[in-house]
């Protein structure tokens, strides 16, 4: 597999040039969502190349989430993933709406419970302290996108369960409790969805998901809540700006 | 599925309490990697609960990447994922070594090519300008973990292909070319690995991966390179600190 390095002005592998050309057209907005790509035969002619190179290019584009395949019907431009900036304090409703999607939220359950060892470590409270435990499902354009489990330090938010918990919690905490959230710490990784999460998201058990755990603080650095999110794997494109 | 919110001091669902207790023991380092968990029967007795609750707790722990199952042999503590901080400029060799792993890198190919439209947009060069295109495979403890495709602005790095390209590129750029990299922008999402990437990583075609695209700048904000990484899905735990 190793190829010795050569300082030669060789050509780009054909399939990468095709991939790049089509990616550029999609990313620059020349083709709208669900547009059908030219057939493989037409692409072969257009790029004066082989079917193998065209196939490799299309598979690379599929892998990058730019196109999808419908059996016997060809290749189509995918709806762009929702850009999610975990460092931002924008609410789900805000960033989905800004990107042309229709967000919705269902409360699955909300209750006052006693902090377990895990809760105590993550919320910096004592085992047995009161916390709120909430599950919600959030959808984009009617398609379930994420199930989330929030654990909230109850001592900071009296009468919390009497609020409308299908609205933005960030906005509720800011406007009703004068706690302006900042994201203290984020951990994330791809993971297999458990049965419970898969069912809530209407996908097969064993489907891939993206796990995001956020710890939020208020303006004084007090930990307000820990939010575990289980996303479908193909919904988000996460963006970070690294400020050094 | 909707359960009305109740301000009651109800108990934590049993399986969550078990999950949390075991997660706490693993995360606080009480059990080392590959330790076998107590049997389901013993856990049932220990937590005074049903087999169903124990099973749910174990599946939740598997989903969180804390334990794995060997058929007929039971459940074991997983080697922790490698913590990767994309905002950091630490090299792969550095952060893997710091976490007790043994990193290695193989150069697959490296060549001078002309920038395509995609390259030009991402590297802020002109179409047709010289860039280096490099593929490398990086392993942890001998297991392939990531295949990466680097595209580097060739005008900034003369004689680049004559360097040892299996070493850290970050360190090479800093020490040999006086360009101190910072991470300008990171985009990431779970994705299906293409045939090429899957083969290089020794997994089945169609396996899940994690795509990370990083744009690097030097100390003056000049874009030096764009790095597309295709990771196995279960290698990394990504950590971000959100500084507001």
């Amino acid at each position: 597999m190793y190829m010795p390095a050569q300082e030669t002005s060789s050509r780009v592998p054909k399939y990468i040039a095709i991939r790049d050309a089509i990616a550029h057209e999609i990313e620059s907005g020349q083709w709208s969502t669900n547009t059908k790509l030219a057939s493989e035969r037409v692409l072969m002619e257009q790029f004066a190349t082989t079917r193998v190179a065209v196939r490799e290019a299309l598979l690379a584009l599929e892998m990058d989430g730019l196109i999808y395949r419908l059996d016997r019907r060809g290749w189509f431009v995918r709806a762009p993933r929702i850009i999610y900036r975990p460092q931002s304090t924008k609410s789900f409703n805000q960033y989905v709406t800004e990107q042309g999607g229709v967000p919705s939220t269902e409360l699955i359950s909300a209750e006052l419970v006693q902090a377990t060892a895990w809760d105590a470590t993550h919320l910096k409270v004592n085992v047995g302290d009161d916390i709120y435990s909430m599950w919600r499902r959030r959808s984009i354009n009617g398609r379930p996108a994420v199930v989330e489990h929030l654990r909230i330090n109850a001592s900071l938010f009296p009468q919390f369960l009497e609020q409308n918990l299908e609205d933005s919690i960030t906005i509720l905490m800011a406007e009703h409790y004068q706690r302006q959230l900042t994201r203290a710490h984020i951990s994330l990784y791809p993971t297999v969805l458990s049965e419970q999460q898969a069912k809530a998201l209407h996908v097969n058990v064993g489907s891939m998901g993206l796990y995001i755990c956020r710890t939020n603080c208020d303006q004084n650095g007090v930990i307000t809540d820990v939010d575990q999110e289980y996303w479908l794997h193909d919904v988000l494109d996460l963006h970070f700006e690294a400020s050094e």
Side-chain angles (χ1 to χ4, degrees), chain A:
Chain A
M1 194 147 190
Y2 178 84
M3 287 166 45
Q6 292 179 315
E7 185 105 21
T8 58
S9 190
S10 70
R11 288 212 211 113
V12 182
K14 195 70 198 183
Y15 90 91
I16 289 188
I18 303 168
R19 188 218 87 88
D20 282 4
I22 297 175
H24 184 72
E25 289 173 1
I26 294 173
E27 288 174 346
S28 60
Q30 293 176 44
W31 295 349
S32 54
T33 302
N34 300 325
T35 301
K36 188 174 182 309
L37 266 62
S39 70
E40 293 184 9
R41 195 184 43 74
V42 170
L43 291 171
M44 281 165 62
E45 288 167 13
Q46 183 183 336
F47 291 97
T49 187
T50 61
R51 186 173 293 269
V52 170
V54 167
R55 284 261 169 85
E56 281 181 355
L58 293 169
L59 290 170
L61 288 161
E62 181 184 36
M63 177 184 62
D64 288 346
L66 292 174
I67 62 173
Y68 64 94
R69 191 175 359 186
L70 290 181
D71 279 341
R72 294 165 202 272
R73 295 192 40 210
W75 293 90
F76 297 82
V77 177
R78 251 187 88 114
R81 289 174 184 247
I82 292 283
I83 295 174
Y84 178 52
R85 303 179 189 276
Q87 294 163 301
S88 157
T89 53
K90 273 193 188 161
S91 71
F92 174 81
N93 290 337
Q94 244 179 313
Y95 65 77
V96 171
T97 305
E98 281 175 9
Q99 295 178 54
V102 178
S104 56
T105 302
E106 291 157 90
L107 184 64
I108 296 170
S109 66
E111 48 183 354
L112 186 69
V113 300
Q114 270 77 59
T116 63
W118 192 96
D119 301 332
T121 307
H122 287 77
L123 285 171
K124 294 214 167 69
V125 297
N126 295 315
V127 173
D129 281 0
D130 281 350
I131 65 166
Y132 303 115
S133 171
M134 266 175 69
W135 285 88
R136 305 195 299 180
R137 172 170 52 197
R138 314 193 90 168
S139 302
I140 299 173
N141 302 330
R143 178 193 181 207
V146 57
V147 178
E148 60 176 18
H149 183 195
L150 289 91
R151 307 176 202 216
I152 299 164
N153 183 340
S155 69
L156 307 176
F157 302 99
Q159 278 80 52
F160 192 76
L161 298 186
E162 294 162 24
Q163 311 298 325
N164 180 349
L165 300 178
E166 298 195 335
D167 281 352
S168 162
I169 297 299
T170 308
I171 293 172
L172 174 62
M173 288 181 171
E175 296 188 350
H176 198 84
Y177 296 96
Q178 286 74 53
R179 298 197 183 256
Q180 320 290 335
L181 299 202
T182 60
R183 311 304 188 205
H185 182 77
I186 298 144
S187 165
L188 64 92
Y189 46 81
T191 188
V192 174
L193 294 171
S194 73
E195 187 176 356
Q196 188 189 8
Q197 272 82 33
K199 281 186 178 161
L201 292 169
H202 303 167
V203 294
N204 293 327
V205 175
S207 292
M208 207 67 195
L210 178 68
Y211 171 76
I212 305 180
C213 183
R214 291 188 290 119
T215 307
N216 294 320
C217 291
D218 70 9
Q219 64 273 27
N220 298 317
V222 176
I223 294 176
T224 51
D225 62 293
V226 175
D227 181 7
Q228 293 180 295
E229 302 175 344
Y230 303 91
W231 290 83
L232 291 184
H233 72 83
D234 60 355
V235 172
L236 295 184
D237 178 3
L238 289 110
H239 282 228
F240 297 87
E241 308 303 325
S243 48
E244 300 269 328

